[in-house]
Amino acid sequence: QVLLVESGGGSVQAGGSLRLSCRASGYTFCVHDTIWYRQASGKEREFVAQIKSDGTASYADSVTGRFTISEDNDMNTVYLEMNSLKPEDTATYYCQRKETLPSELCGYDAWGEGTQVSVSS
């Protein structure tokens, strides 16, 4: 029953920064991991970053050192801080919330609709 909405995308020049948000609403009290993916037009879906329920973060090699994933549980929001953006970062960015402890009320996955990031040279 969790709904996700991404926001914060836009158009920037190479070297610029954006902060994406993934806000969850509904029944948000389940243990979960959140993953950011991106997909450029005509290309395969690509893993970007993950933050687990214990706060552990991991990143794709292509964004390590430039992107930071974080979570504000009080706001039910996961952020993706993107710095030193490159044209190859251009894509639609999606967040996925995976509830990791199945129960009567938990154990479901949710996806947002995506937010567009365009980086020009």
Side-chain angles (χ1 to χ4, degrees), residues 72-88:
D72 185 338
N73 284 301
D74 291 336
M75 298 294 291
N76 296 315
T77 301
V78 172
Y79 301 98
L80 185 68
E81 298 272 1
M82 305 187 297
N83 299 311
S84 301
L85 283 163
K86 304 174 180 180
E88 51 262 45

Side-chain angles (χ1 to χ4, degrees), residues 5-117:
V5 178
E6 301 100 334
S7 62
S11 298
V12 298
Q13 294 183 339
S17 299
L18 288 171
R19 185 179 72 164
L20 306 184
S21 298
C22 176
R23 180 179 60 83
S25 61
Y27 191 77
T28 60
F29 307 106
C30 302
V31 175
H32 60 274
D33 301 340
T34 302
I35 307 167
W36 283 98
Y37 297 93
R38 66 188 182 188
Q39 187 168 28
S41 295
K43 298 193 68 178
E44 63 190 12
R45 188 197 71 182
E46 179 185 19
F47 167 81
V48 177
Q50 175 184 284
I51 186 164
K52 298 179 72 174
S53 58
D54 65 359
T56 302
S58 59
Y59 303 91
D61 289 344
S62 59
V63 307
T64 296
R66 300 188 297 121
F67 291 10
T68 302
I69 188 169
S70 61
E71 183 166 23
D72 185 338
N73 284 301
D74 291 336
M75 298 294 291
N76 296 315
T77 301
V78 172
Y79 301 98
L80 185 68
E81 298 272 1
M82 305 187 297
N83 299 311
S84 301
L85 283 163
K86 304 174 180 180
E88 51 262 45
D89 296 319
T90 296
T92 301
Y93 284 71
Y94 302 90
C95 61
Q96 179 193 31
R97 186 180 190 270
K98 300 178 66 176
E99 296 174 353
T100 58
L101 296 178
S103 68
E104 180 179 353
L105 297 175
C106 303
Y108 303 100
D109 290 357
W111 288 84
E113 292 278 344
T115 186
Q116 179 66 38
V117 172

